[in-house]
């Protein structure tokens, strides 16, 4: 691989390989660090005369002052990824690690595929007695987050969920049914050499299949924003779970809708398709850096007559809407497959002390805009109970006189007015949805 080549000179396969390796190391960093420390600890070479030193491997792990330690550690983690993970699905030989000197390569090779089987490597993780620490090391997650997963879905569920979050997500499109049909989009993609299939839960969705393209093209190499079908508003880039959130609103033509937390406008365009050109969608987005993208989405979707971006939160609370969707700012733990580095950038204190109070405040403010008989929805892309069930419990207790649960089916079924989409169960981004109806006369 020509790592010194300019980006424009790289082939599509080389760009894909670079992305795959960077993504893989970032996702499996903690797992690779565990194997790195094990290999160095077991080696008779490290620290001996004329042998490699701990610093050559970027150790100790908590040392951050010397830039060369960081570089050495990054090299070793990439080498370990290539030696232990790359090519696993194909069952082929591990790729050649040409950027590492022979001494370090010999040390790291003791846990590589050529010397240690996958079962033997997994046995190393099995030796960790504490289940939280074991899952954290094996699946490469911070322990506080694994602890939250275990509380929510148990030890086995937590390991399965963490594993699902380590898988690269597919490219998923939402078809604008006002302009075309899902079947036509699938056929058009096929003409362009891209294999695609319908999503399982959303009637709008199309998933681009990995490795399903013709003439060497692949789903993940499909640059959505460059396609005419995107620029003309026939499709939008939108994961299936987010499509399910929009569908859960039950919005219909002539409704007045408030989207509290409009973000980049993806859900707004989905709601517009449900209104079929009749009604009004008011958008409130507090973060200025996303307003440009929001307005651009409205322009591209030709929805300027259907949507209005509100200037402040007071204007949002004065709206009287048939449907109010609170797309809450959250920890995004359900979307870690898209942004693997986020798992290392968040902490439990920030979630509990900053995010949760903001979520309650937003839900309370948005509730004021719901008309009698109207629907209120609360949604996150989080897997944490403190952001989901506990916030909903708080709202149920605080606003019991004004709102009643709105079940997702006529029987009230398991879960009632709450739905959780889980990566390891449903194969989509982790998402939570709850909904209520404002009582008549309030």
């Amino acid at each position: 691989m020509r790592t010194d080549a300019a980006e424009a000179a790289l082939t599509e396969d080389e760009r894909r390989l670079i992305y795959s390796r960077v993504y893989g190391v970032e996702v499996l960093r903690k797992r690779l660090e565990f194997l790195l420390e094990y290999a160095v600890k077991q080696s008779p070479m490290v620290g001996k005369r004329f042998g490699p030193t701990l610093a050559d491997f970027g150790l100790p792990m908590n040392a951050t002052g010397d830039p060369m330690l960081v570089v050495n550690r990054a090299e070793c983690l990439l080498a370990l990824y290539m030696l232990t993970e790359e090519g696993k699905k194909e069952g082929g030989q591990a790729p050649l690690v040409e950027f590492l000197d022979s001494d370090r390569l010999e040390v790291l090779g003791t846990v590589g595929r050529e010397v240690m089987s996958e079962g033997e490597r997994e046995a190393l993780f099995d030796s960790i007695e504490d289940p939280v620490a074991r899952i954290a090391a094996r699946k490469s997650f911070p322990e506080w987050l694994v602890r939250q997963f275990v509380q929510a879905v148990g030890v086995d569920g937590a390991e399965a969920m963490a594993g699902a979050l380590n898988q690269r997500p597919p490219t998923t499109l939402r078809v604008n049914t006002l302009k075309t049909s899902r079947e036509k989009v699938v056929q058009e993609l096929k003409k362009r050499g891209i294999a695609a299939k319908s999503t399982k839960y959303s009637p709008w969705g199309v998933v681009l299949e990995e490795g399903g393209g013709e003439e060497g093209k692949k789903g993940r190499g499909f640059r959505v924003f460059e396609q005419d079908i995107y620029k003309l508003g026939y499709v939008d880039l939108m994961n299936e779970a987010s499509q399910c959130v929009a569908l859960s609103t039950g919005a219909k033509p002539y409704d007045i809708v408030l989207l509290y937390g409009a973000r980049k406008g993806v859900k707004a365009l989905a709601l517009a398709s449900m209104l079929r050109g009749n009604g009004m969608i008011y958008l409130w987005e507090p973060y200025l850096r996303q307003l440009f993208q929001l307005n651009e989405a409205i322009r591209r979707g030709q929805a300027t007559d259907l949507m209005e971006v509100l200037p402040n939160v007071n204007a949002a609370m004065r709206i009287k809407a048939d449907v109010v969707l609170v797309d809450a700012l959250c920890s995004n733990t359900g979307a870690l497959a898209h942004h693997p580095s986020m798992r290392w950038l968040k902490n439990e204190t920030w979630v509990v002390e900053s995010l949760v109070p903001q979520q309650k405040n937003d839900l309370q403010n948005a509730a004021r805009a719901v008309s009698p008989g109207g629907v209120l929805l609360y949604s996150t892309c989080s897997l944490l109970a403190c952001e989901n069930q506990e916030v909903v419990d708080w709202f149920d207790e605080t606003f019991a006189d004004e709102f009643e649960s709105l079940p997702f089916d006529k029987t009230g079924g398991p879960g009632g007015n709450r739905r959780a989409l889980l990566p390891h169960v449903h194969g989509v981004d982790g998402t939570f949805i709850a909904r209520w109806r404002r009582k008549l006369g309030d």
Side-chain angles (χ1 to χ4, degrees):
M1 183 177 67
R2 299 172 295 161
T3 56
D4 59 340
E7 181 180 356
L10 296 172
T11 67
E12 183 177 338
D13 285 341
E14 286 173 333
R15 285 196 299 268
R16 187 178 295 116
L17 181 57
I18 290 171
Y19 177 85
S20 175
R21 286 176 176 172
V22 172
Y23 182 91
V25 172
E26 190 60 34
V27 166
L28 298 177
R29 186 199 306 178
K30 192 177 181 73
R31 176 185 175 90
L32 298 172
E33 287 175 349
F34 176 86
L35 293 174
L36 173 61
E37 290 186 311
Y38 175 84
V40 170
K41 183 179 179 181
Q42 298 298 314
S43 173
M45 298 171 56
V46 180
K48 304 301 181 182
R49 189 179 183 185
F50 304 120
T53 65
L54 287 177
D56 291 325
F57 297 92
L59 299 174
M61 204 65 72
N62 59 358
T64 57
D66 186 347
M68 283 309 301
L69 287 177
V70 178
V71 172
N72 290 341
R73 187 184 310 153
E75 289 180 341
C76 291
L77 294 181
L78 174 57
L80 276 172
Y81 176 78
M82 295 168 66
L83 291 169
T84 63
E85 302 293 329
E86 200 165 274
K88 183 184 293 184
K89 291 182 180 179
E90 295 79 5
Q93 298 295 312
L96 292 176
V97 180
E98 300 175 320
F99 55 86
L100 216 61
D101 59 84
S102 58
D103 283 348
R104 288 193 293 171
L105 188 56
E106 183 176 346
V107 172
L108 299 183
T110 59
V111 295
R113 297 176 65 202
E114 301 299 322
V115 176
M116 183 178 287
S117 69
E118 184 175 355
E120 290 172 327
R121 279 196 302 274
E122 293 306 314
L124 299 179
F125 294 98
D126 289 336
S127 66
I128 304 174
E129 294 184 5
D130 177 47
V132 170
R134 182 171 62 251
I135 295 172
R138 173 178 277 143
K139 299 299 183 181
S140 190
F141 277 83
E143 289 191 16
W144 74 267
L145 193 50
V146 174
R147 194 174 299 109
Q148 292 275 350
F149 291 170
V150 170
Q151 291 174 358
V153 294
V155 172
D156 291 341
E159 184 150 7
M161 188 153 64
L165 290 171
N166 284 342
Q167 302 300 312
R168 287 177 61 192
T171 299
T172 306
L173 308 177
R174 178 190 65 83
V175 175
N176 183 354
T177 54
L178 297 181
K179 291 189 172 185
T180 187
S181 68
R182 181 160 65 175
E183 292 72 20
K184 289 181 179 179
V185 169
V186 170
Q187 289 302 313
E188 179 62 27
L189 291 171
K190 184 178 180 180
K191 291 178 184 178
R192 302 182 186 198
I194 302 296
K197 62 180 180 180
S198 299
T199 49
K200 183 177 180 179
Y201 302 104
S202 168
W204 303 326
V206 172
V207 178
L208 307 189
E209 297 189 68
E210 173 67 6
E214 299 171 2
E215 299 177 0
K217 296 181 181 179
K218 297 186 179 182
R220 288 198 181 103
F222 183 76
R223 301 187 179 187
V224 176
F225 302 118
E226 298 177 2
Q227 306 301 315
D228 55 347
I229 58 174
Y230 171 82
K231 294 176 181 178
L232 295 174
Y234 286 90
V235 300
D236 212 347
L237 190 63
M238 186 180 193
N239 68 71
E240 186 176 7
S242 292
Q243 295 181 37
C244 291
V245 171
L247 286 162
S248 295
T249 65
K252 58 188 184 300
Y254 302 103
D255 274 348
I256 304 299
V257 178
L258 170 62
L259 179 50
Y260 195 100
R263 306 296 177 257
K264 300 176 183 179
V266 177
K267 288 189 179 73
L269 293 180
L271 291 168
S273 71
M274 298 176 71
L275 266 58
R276 308 196 69 79
N278 297 292
M280 193 68 193
I281 300 175
Y282 293 98
L283 309 170
W284 161 236
E285 174 50 51
Y287 293 97
L288 295 177
R289 60 186 172 83
Q290 293 189 322
L291 283 178
F292 173 79
Q293 292 169 301
L294 174 58
N295 284 303
E296 177 60 22
I298 295 172
R299 183 202 63 76
R300 183 176 56 82
Q302 300 176 350
T304 52
D305 294 337
L306 192 67
M307 297 184 186
E308 180 180 339
V309 180
L310 300 173
N312 53 56
V313 68
N314 292 323
M317 289 189 289
R318 287 195 294 268
I319 299 294
K320 292 303 177 186
D322 302 295
V323 177
V324 175
L325 170 58
V326 181
D327 191 13
L329 183 69
C330 67
S331 63
N332 292 309
T333 46
L336 288 178
H338 297 273
H339 311 286
S341 62
M342 287 197 307
R343 70 188 70 188
W344 313 116
L345 302 177
K346 302 178 185 299
N347 63 75
E348 191 168 15
T349 300
W350 172 70
V351 172
V352 173
E353 296 184 2
S354 297
L355 272 185
V356 172
Q358 183 65 51
Q359 290 159 353
K360 291 179 178 179
N361 184 66
D362 288 348
L363 185 54
Q364 177 176 272
N365 288 342
R368 300 181 184 182
V370 184
S371 297
V375 177
L376 172 66
L377 294 95
Y378 173 76
S379 173
T380 75
C381 53
S382 171
L383 295 166
L384 309 185
C386 61
E387 299 181 85
N388 298 333
Q389 291 87 348
E390 292 177 18
V391 170
V392 173
D393 288 343
W394 165 83
F395 187 84
D396 284 341
E397 292 180 11
T398 307
F399 294 90
D401 294 337
E402 301 176 51
F403 287 85
E404 60 186 0
S405 295
L406 179 59
F408 281 88
D409 58 61
K410 294 181 180 179
T411 65
N417 70 327
R418 310 177 189 195
R419 283 291 181 266
L421 299 174
L422 303 176
H424 65 298
V425 175
H426 303 98
V428 299
D429 290 354
T431 299
F432 178 84
I433 315 166
R435 63 184 188 180
W436 303 265
R437 188 183 300 278
R438 181 182 280 279
K439 296 177 181 180
L440 294 173
D442 290 336

